[in-house]
Amino acid sequence: MMWTQLLLTCVAVASMGVQSHDVNTTVEKLEDIEKDLKVIKETLGNCQNDPEENRRQLHLGESWKNPAWSCDEIAERKVDKESGWHWIQSCKNCDSRLTYCDFDRELMGRKNWIRALHLNISDPQQPCPSSSFRLVTQDGLRLCGRSNGPGCKSVFANTNDLPYQRVCGRATMFRYYSTDGFERYVHCPGCTIEDPYVDGLSITYGSSGNRKHAWSFAVLHDCTSASTVNYRTPPNFVGNNFFCGAATHHAHNGLYSHDPLFTDQWFCVQLPQPTTERLEMRLCSDQDVDNEDALFQLVELYVQ
């Protein structure tokens, strides 16, 4: 395109008998045209790519041999992108990992999230995540609770060692017998984030002994009255990053099946800095499962 333009200009110059300074001006304009063409070429992603490169872009993230750098890259380069499993390679020397990219859900004003954990126990095909949990079927519900206790049972989210700085999520939970939120921490001044500080769900990142708090779901019987202020007063490391869920109807065999908690409540937090540390969900209670438990029906965690 550039040489065609140059030839046409030269013919025009010759036929018009222009002066040398006019030729210099024309050359300058041609140089500007060349710069513009370069910008257009970069913006359009090089329209003259070879067929192999075009095939790579078309099937980006569809195999481990053709991974994308991120969910964002797939969103930017593929017109027909669909939420689902894609191969992501976060750095040049890293292994490509199968990762779930969600291009549709908008959280914190952003799309293209990595779905790091998805547990939907309502699905008959979805088991509890490990032998550390027990399946509870009652009143038409399928729920997961701790297999035994007291203490916490853990599930690690699938972040695939990809860096992230934002965490969003939600949970649907049910109270079982006498869960009482943060009361354990009130009577245990020496307890830390490593202990079962809440009857409910704890979302943290980092390794055992060095966990850092992201969010908590506290399950109890009353989130508003003065008599339960100790149950809903969180530890300092929790701060305001928690939900309080209260079951108020009568229990049937210990399960408050008519009181689903935290339904459609989303949390989102921005971490102080990017991290590749493990994201962890812990189901906790300071008593045995025969006395109390917080059962979950749905847990989803997203990172970016």
Side-chain angles (χ1 to χ4, degrees):
M1 183 183 296
M2 180 182 69
W3 292 112
T4 301
Q5 182 69 36
L6 180 58
L7 179 60
L8 291 173
T9 303
C10 290
V11 171
V13 169
S15 64
M16 295 173 62
V18 296
Q19 302 298 316
S20 61
H21 71 275
D22 294 324
V23 175
N24 291 336
T25 301
T26 302
V27 170
E28 291 176 358
K29 290 182 178 179
L30 286 172
E31 289 175 347
D32 290 338
I33 291 173
E34 183 178 7
K35 291 178 182 178
D36 291 340
L37 287 172
K38 184 177 181 181
V39 171
I40 292 172
K41 181 178 178 180
E42 293 175 351
T43 302
L44 296 178
N46 189 358
C47 293
Q48 297 178 357
N49 279 342
D50 60 59
E52 183 61 32
E53 178 62 18
N54 287 332
R55 281 194 295 272
R56 180 187 177 276
Q57 297 299 332
L58 182 64
H59 299 289
L60 186 65
E62 294 181 10
S63 77
W64 65 271
K65 293 182 178 180
N66 186 26
W69 294 117
S70 65
C71 294
D72 280 330
E73 186 190 17
I74 295 174
E76 291 170 3
R77 295 182 178 274
K78 294 189 67 173
V79 177
D80 60 343
K81 63 185 180 295
E82 293 183 358
S83 295
W85 295 97
H86 301 270
W87 289 93
I88 304 295
Q89 182 181 18
S90 61
C91 66
K92 185 175 181 179
N93 296 319
C94 299
D95 292 332
S96 56
R97 304 285 185 87
L98 197 56
T99 304
Y100 192 98
C101 296
D102 192 318
F103 300 118
D104 305 308
R105 191 179 302 280
E106 184 169 325
L107 301 165
M108 301 179 75
R110 298 168 174 268
K111 290 187 176 182
N112 309 332
W113 290 80
I114 294 172
R115 192 179 74 183
L117 184 65
H118 178 75
L119 299 172
N120 182 10
I121 312 305
S122 294
D123 182 353
Q125 304 302 315
Q126 172 76 69
C128 291
S130 74
S131 59
S132 296
F133 298 86
R134 76 189 196 283
L135 179 66
V136 176
T137 56
Q138 183 178 318
D139 300 336
L141 299 171
R142 296 181 83 253
L143 311 168
C144 288
R146 297 169 299 132
S147 59
N148 52 53
C152 298
K153 304 301 181 183
S154 176
V155 178
F156 290 104
N158 185 24
T159 58
N160 281 338
D161 297 325
L162 299 172
Y164 63 93
Q165 192 172 5
R166 302 172 191 88
V167 182
C168 293
R170 63 173 175 166
T172 300
M173 304 187 70
F174 289 82
R175 187 182 185 217
Y176 186 71
Y177 283 113
S178 61
T179 54
D180 40 29
F182 296 112
E183 188 193 23
R184 161 72 173 174
Y185 193 83
V186 174
H187 299 297
C188 180
C191 288
T192 70
I193 194 172
E194 307 297 331
D195 300 298
Y197 66 88
V198 63
D199 288 348
L201 211 58
S202 170
I203 309 299
T204 59
Y205 62 101
S207 57
S208 178
N210 189 34
R211 291 183 173 97
K212 293 168 280 290
H213 183 260
W215 204 265
S216 293
F217 295 79
V219 178
L220 59 157
H221 62 282
D222 189 334
C223 288
T224 57
S225 70
S227 63
T228 62
V229 65
N230 285 342
Y231 302 151
R232 50 191 169 84
T233 301
N236 290 334
F237 59 78
V238 171
N240 294 321
N241 286 8
F242 75 98
F243 291 140
C244 180
T248 57
H249 290 84
H250 293 295
H252 176 216
N253 294 329
L255 177 64
Y256 291 79
S257 56
H258 297 291
D259 286 314
L261 306 177
F262 315 115
T263 302
D264 295 327
Q265 282 186 274
W266 283 86
F267 78 86
C268 285
V269 293
Q270 179 147 333
L271 308 183
Q273 59 190 17
T275 183
T276 58
E277 294 182 286
R278 294 192 302 178
L279 184 64
E280 183 179 14
M281 179 207 88
R282 291 187 298 159
L283 187 63
C284 302
S285 182
D286 64 331
Q287 296 183 33
D288 193 87
V289 295
D290 292 333
N291 294 327
E292 63 181 17
D293 204 1
L295 311 177
F296 66 85
Q297 183 181 59
L298 173 71
V299 180
E300 286 189 301
L301 296 177
Y302 293 79
V303 299
Q304 191 180 76

